[in-house]
C-alpha cells in the first residue's frame, strides 16, 4: 500500500488545487509513473497534468488517489511519499523498500545492489570523453 505522509499530501493537494483553478482538467488526478533510466534503473515522476498513455490502476491513499501505470504497481506497492524543504528547495521524497540503491537526490532507484547509480545528476549527463 502506498503511503503519503502529511507534508506530501498537503503539497499534492496544492498541485491539484492549482490545476482545478486553472481549469485545465475537469477532474484532476495525480499520476505517479516510473521512467526507466536517468540516474538509476527508474526515476519517479509525479504530475497532475500529463496522463501516461497506458493502462492505469488507481491506488487510494487516504483522501488522495494516485493513478499508476498498471504494469508498475508492483514497483511502488510499499512506497512512502514525503515532502521536505531544504537549502535546494522543496521536493518529494520517495522511500521504497524495493530500492536496493538510491541516487544522490533520491528520485531514482535501482532494484539491484550491483546496478550503478549516480550521486549527482550533473555528472550523469556530462558527455563522455
Ligand atoms: S535523479 Fe539524478 S541524482 Fe537523483
Amino acid at each position: 500500500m502506498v503511503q503519503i505522509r502529511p507534508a506530501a499530501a498537503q503539497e499534492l493537494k496544492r498541485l491539484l488545487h492549482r490545476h482545478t483553478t486553472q481549469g485545465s482538467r475537469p477532474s484532476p488526478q495525480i499520476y505517479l509513473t516510473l521512467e526507466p533510466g536517468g540516474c538509476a534503473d527508474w526515476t519517479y515522476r509525479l504530475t497532475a497534468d500529463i496522463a501516461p498513455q497506458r493502462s492505469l490502476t488507481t491506488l487510494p491513499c487516504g483522501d488522495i488517489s494516485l493513478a499508476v501505470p498498471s504494469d508498475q504497481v508492483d514497483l511502488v506497492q510499499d512506497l512512502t511519499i514525503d515532502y521536505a524543504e531544504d537549502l535546494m528547495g522543496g521536493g518529494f521524497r520517495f522511500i521504497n523498500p524495493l530500492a536496493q540503491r538510491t541516487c544522490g537526490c533520491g528520485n531514482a532507484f535501482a532494484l539491484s545492489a550491483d546496478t550503478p547509480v549516480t550521486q549527482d545528476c550533473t555528472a550523469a549527463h556530462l558527455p563522455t570523453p
Side-chain angles (χ1 to χ4, degrees):
M1 180 170 112
V2 175
Q3 296 192 27
I4 301 176
R5 291 190 176 154
Q10 183 177 352
E11 183 63 12
L12 291 171
K13 288 175 185 172
R14 190 188 66 77
L15 290 174
L16 287 171
H17 178 73
R18 189 172 73 194
H19 276 270
T20 301
T21 56
Q22 288 175 346
S24 60
R25 296 173 46 84
S27 58
Q29 173 78 57
I30 296 290
Y31 302 99
L32 171 64
T33 56
L34 295 173
E35 297 180 351
C39 294
D41 290 339
W42 298 98
T43 301
Y44 298 102
R45 184 160 195 258
L46 269 174
T47 181
D49 57 355
I50 302 172
Q53 300 297 310
R54 41 207 302 194
S55 172
L56 298 172
T57 297
T58 299
L59 305 176
C61 308
D63 55 353
I64 293 178
S65 294
L66 290 178
V68 178
S70 299
D71 61 344
Q72 295 181 338
V73 169
D74 288 349
L75 294 174
V76 298
Q77 60 188 347
D78 294 316
L79 181 70
T80 297
I81 303 173
D82 202 356
Y83 184 84
E85 303 269 352
D86 60 25
L87 292 175
M88 301 300 286
F92 290 100
R93 309 290 188 248
F94 302 93
I95 302 114
N96 189 339
L98 292 176
Q100 298 299 307
R101 298 190 71 193
T102 304
C103 72
C105 75
N107 284 339
F109 69 99
L111 294 170
S112 165
D114 298 329
T115 301
V117 299
T118 303
Q119 297 303 307
D120 179 0
C121 281
T122 308
H125 303 296
L126 289 175
T128 52

